Amino acid sequence: QVHVVESGGGLAQAGGSLRLSCTASGTIGGVTGTGWYRQPPGKEREVVALITDGGTTNYKDSVKGRFTISADNPKNTVYLQMDSLNVEDTATYLCGVLFRGNMYWGQGTQVTVSE
């Protein structure tokens, strides 16, 4: 059974930093990619950053140069380092793990950025 857990959200001031973690269990072999998504209040879910099993990364334009996605494969963990945060980054952040053709989601972690 696949289980995905996010952590690391919280409250930050504009210009500050947070690091999110996404740990997957039950996925030995077969993960082809992991993504961080976010859903701002009253808006639709959007992709923030993606990383493939080969280490290729892709970012939403508005976070390029501020956010970094990385993977620690032995720990089955993917990180999202978020720097230079602004109020528009306020959202629920969710991790999606693509495992053997199916997407598995965590419960989400809240990120709130204040001025």
Side-chain angles (χ1 to χ4, degrees), residues 1 60 64 74 83 85 103 106:
Q1 183 176 357
K60 177 181 174 63
K64 286 180 180 178
D83 299 318
L85 286 163
M103 184 71 82

Side-chain angles (χ1 to χ4, degrees), residues 10-108:
L11 180 64
Q13 289 190 327
S17 299
L18 286 173
R19 188 176 81 156
L20 306 182
S21 300
C22 168
T23 300
S25 59
T27 58
I28 297 176
V31 172
T32 50
T34 301
W36 280 101
Y37 301 76
R38 68 187 182 189
Q39 187 160 12
K43 297 183 179 180
E44 294 185 353
R45 185 177 299 182
E46 59 187 17
V47 63
V48 176
L50 303 170
I51 187 166
T52 69
D53 57 339
T56 300
T57 59
N58 209 338
Y59 296 90
K60 177 181 174 63
D61 284 346
S62 64
V63 307
K64 286 180 180 178
R66 300 189 298 121
F67 290 10
T68 304
I69 189 170
S70 62
D72 185 337
N73 293 327
K75 294 183 178 179
N76 292 325
T77 299
V78 170
Y79 302 99
L80 184 68
Q81 177 67 40
M82 306 187 294
D83 299 318
S84 302
L85 286 163
N86 57 58
V87 294
E88 288 77 28
D89 296 318
T90 294
T92 298
Y93 283 71
L94 302 104
C95 177
V97 176
L98 186 61
F99 174 68
R100 295 181 181 175
N102 295 306
M103 184 71 82
Y104 296 87
W105 297 94
Q107 79 289 351

